[in-house]
Structures are given as structure tokens and as C-alpha cells.
Amino acid sequence: MANTGTYCVTTATRTSRIGLMLMLAGVAFLSLTPVWGGRSDMRLVVEFCYFLALAQMWNLLAGYAGLVSVGQQAFVGLGGYALFVSTIFMGVHPLLALPLAAVVAGILALPTALIVFRLRGAYFAIGTWVMAEVYRLSFAQVSVLGGGSGQSLPINVIKSVASSRSDRELVVFAIGIMLAVASTGIVWWLLRSRHGLALTAIRDSEPASESLGVNNFKTKLLVYVLAAAITGFIGALIYLQKFRIAPDAAFSLIDWTAYVIFIVVIGGIGRIEGPIVGTIVFFILREFLSDLGSWYLMMLGLVAVVIMLKAPQGIWGELANRFDLHFFPVQRRLYRSDGQTPGGSA
């Protein structure tokens, strides 16, 4: 909080403090899953965590930087294969391979960005999907990695995580919880920094932001590489849990991008709370609809269409506008230093 005469500038609000306590309570509840739940519950929580992290990254790209990518599965696959290559052929410990996968995905995001950043709008979206397909087809040709049929982690690599199955599941579970918290925290921190102000300016008007001195290309590239690196880490964690990888699964458009877009759209794009709400709704719908076969995807599509028509800003967007709810505020609000009514926000 910075004082300015008789006024003070802050991003915190009463609802944000309440929201923070609710989030901490939710994290504590999920962290105690090994106490109140079984192995299946732990795996479900890990899955919830990495879908939430994926949704936060896509929301950062599309909701704040205006980069509507449908090719984020590229970095899930790259992260997963980086885990397999580094552990099997380089002898890297699986837990050290997770951050290494993030580095690999971040590095490969640079040449990818140099190609897709030449495109705009729908062409950018298609370009990201094409690049993901290039990666998928490339790994399908590598016979040492199992080609199109894929490969499993050797038992010695799996046991190097922990000696027993229960301990391995606890390790993966703990990393999943930390991943969900860290991804949300990183997005919040980034948006509260000067880079967040630049992203807000770019989202409002790219020509206007450039006239104010914002380097649009550099800012977008930073966000794209950051999202790719964290997505690579997520991909490595996913396949550390699954123990087996194949190109079609690792670079799946539906699993790692379509579902994530659905989560962000129904939750609320351009809001940190949106992916959290969207992930909760997605898992509830999946629990009740997944037995319907092909009707499951049709029902998800119907829900998405209804939300877009009735609540274009998503579920959380409608709640935030109606009740002024901001659990993760990034706007700067001007208050009287004596605690009186705020004078505005920016």
C-alpha cells in the first residue's frame, strides 16, 4: 500500500481478503485428501490441479495477452517427452526432470513464437494448432521413443521417485497441489506487476499501448514463453503420474486444449477466479455426464453455448459484476487514508 497525500492506493479489498481465506481453506481441504480419501481421490485431486494450472496458463494467454492459442497441447507433449528422454537416456532423477521439462518447453517456445507471432486472429489460432501437429508427427517418427505406439517409463525410473507405490502417489500428489497454487500465484503476481499493466493496455488496444511505450511483441513473447514453460512442467507431471506416453495422447487437442478452453470460457475469461470456477464445474459435469459416451461431449458443448449466450463473461464474470466480487484483485483502487469511501480505481 502506497500513501499519496491524504489518500492511499491499494489492490486489496474486503472481498479479496475473504476470498483469500476461502482459497486457503480449499487448499487445506484438498491437501488433507490422503487423510480423508483413498488413492482414487488423490489421483482425482492431482488431475484437478493440473487442469486448473493448464486453465490458468491459457487464460493468461487469451484473457490477458490476446493470444488465443489452440496449440497448447504442444507444450504438454514436449514436457512429457522431455521427462521420458531425460530420465531414460540421460539418467536424470524424475523429480529433477520436471523443472528440466519446463526449461525445454520454454526454449522450444521461442522458435515456435517466431513463427506463429507472424499471424493474427484466427490465423494465429490455426498456426498454433499446426505447430502442435508438427511436434506430434515428429515424435511419432522417433522409433527409439516407441514411435506412434509410445513408450512406458522403466520400472527403475518409477521406483527412483519413491520405493513404494503409496509414497510415489504422495509425492505426485504434493507436487500437484503446489503446482495449482503456484500457477495461480504466478499469474496474480504477474498481473499486479508492471507487466500486468502492459498486458491490460495491450488487451484494451494494441495501437494505444504502443503509443504509450509498451513493447507489445516483447510483452507477448514473455507471456507466451512463461505459459509454455509452466505447461511443459504440467505435461511432465501428467506423464509421471501416467507412466506411459504416446504422441496422440501427449499432443491431444481435445484433452489438453479443448477441455481447457471450455473451463476458461464457462468460468470467466480474463479473470483469475474464472479457471478455478470453471475447473470445479467441469469436474462436476464430467462426474455426472461421462457415462453418456459421445453425448458427453455434446452436453459440454451445449453448456458452453448456453453460458456464452446467457453469461458472455462466464459464471464468475457475472457474479463479480453483480456483487463486486474480486478474490484476486489486480486493479489499483484509491482510498481515503482515514478509511472512507474509495475515490476510484485504475
Side-chain angles (χ1 to χ4, degrees), residues 12 115 138 184 195 216 227 231 244 270 301 305 308 327:
I115 296 174
S138 298
T184 303
H195 299 294
N216 290 355
T231 302
R244 179 171 179 81
V305 170
M308 286 187 288
F327 286 181

Side-chain angles (χ1 to χ4, degrees), residues 201-223:
I202 291 172
R203 181 178 62 178
D204 292 342
S205 172
E206 289 195 29
S209 64
E210 282 192 338
S211 68
L212 293 173
V214 175
N215 189 326
N216 290 355
F217 177 82
K218 183 178 179 181
T219 303
K220 287 185 175 183
L221 181 63
L222 170 66
V223 170

Side-chain angles (χ1 to χ4, degrees), residues 157-168:
V157 173
I158 296 173
K159 287 188 174 182
S160 66
V161 177
S163 57
S164 66
R165 177 181 176 182
S166 59
D167 289 342
R168 289 193 295 271

